[in-house]
Amino acid sequence: MKSALSSIMAAALAVVGISCGSSGSGPPDAALPPGGSPAAASQPGGSPAASPQAVSLAGTWSGTGVDSNANTGPNGATTVTWTLAQTDANVSGTVTTQSVDPPNTTCTSCHRNKTGTLAGTIAGTTLTLTMSFPAGNPAGNPADVTPICSATLTGTVSAITQSSLTASYSGADTCEGALLNGTLVMARMP
């Protein structure tokens, strides 16, 4: 009789626990505000919690890009500076690249000294971007000794904070060919 009573009590407690919301999944439905979602309960007035804001990229960024091509091998390094503006999800600005090699000493030293534009779209902490470096040296960059060459790079920045970002990219230079396996590490300048 004692074991039957214990079984009945255990079953009764389980039914009470389930009906009272003790499943560990949050408060019972009766405690939710009109609209019925836990997110709505977390905000005054019962409105849903706001989604996280995208990181603003507006400002000046500096860093290093490394990629490979037929002429530079796997270590084509470039110092990169961005000056960016951002309106909502749209990012735009100027890009200046400079070779890490002394001027006119390597193939990298002349094809990496370019000025161009950046255009992209940010969603949360991911930026999809295009960097374009037109022929003709329209920005008057004195370090660009190969103004006949243009380049276009596309990439994705998937690690963005307020102070740093990391990107992968690829593209082509009309004189140097494909630029592959690119990585770019940038830091926000004060």
Side-chain angles (χ1 to χ4, degrees), residues 2-131:
K2 201 173 202 183
S3 67
L5 186 56
S6 295
S7 296
I8 292 171
M9 287 296 287
L13 287 174
V15 169
V16 169
I18 291 170
S19 67
C20 291
S22 67
S23 64
S25 63
D29 289 343
L32 295 176
S37 75
S42 66
Q43 295 295 313
S47 62
S51 62
Q53 294 295 315
V55 174
S56 173
L57 295 177
T60 302
W61 296 76
S62 183
T64 302
V66 178
D67 55 50
S68 62
N69 78 22
N71 293 309
T72 62
N75 298 312
T78 308
T79 300
V80 180
T81 303
W82 292 347
T83 302
L84 302 178
Q86 182 172 340
T87 303
D88 300 323
N90 299 311
V91 178
S92 61
T94 59
V95 181
T96 302
T97 62
Q98 182 177 347
S99 172
V100 297
D101 296 337
N104 297 318
T105 60
T106 66
C107 195
T108 295
S109 69
C110 54
H111 288 276
R112 302 290 173 138
N113 297 323
K114 297 286 187 185
T115 300
T117 59
L118 182 147
T121 304
I122 189 168
T125 57
T126 301
L127 171 69
T128 303
L129 63 87
T130 300
M131 293 181 281

Side-chain angles (χ1 to χ4, degrees), residues 125-127 156-160 165-168:
T125 57
T126 301
L127 171 69
T156 302
V157 181
S158 57
I160 301 175
L165 60 85
T166 303
S168 59

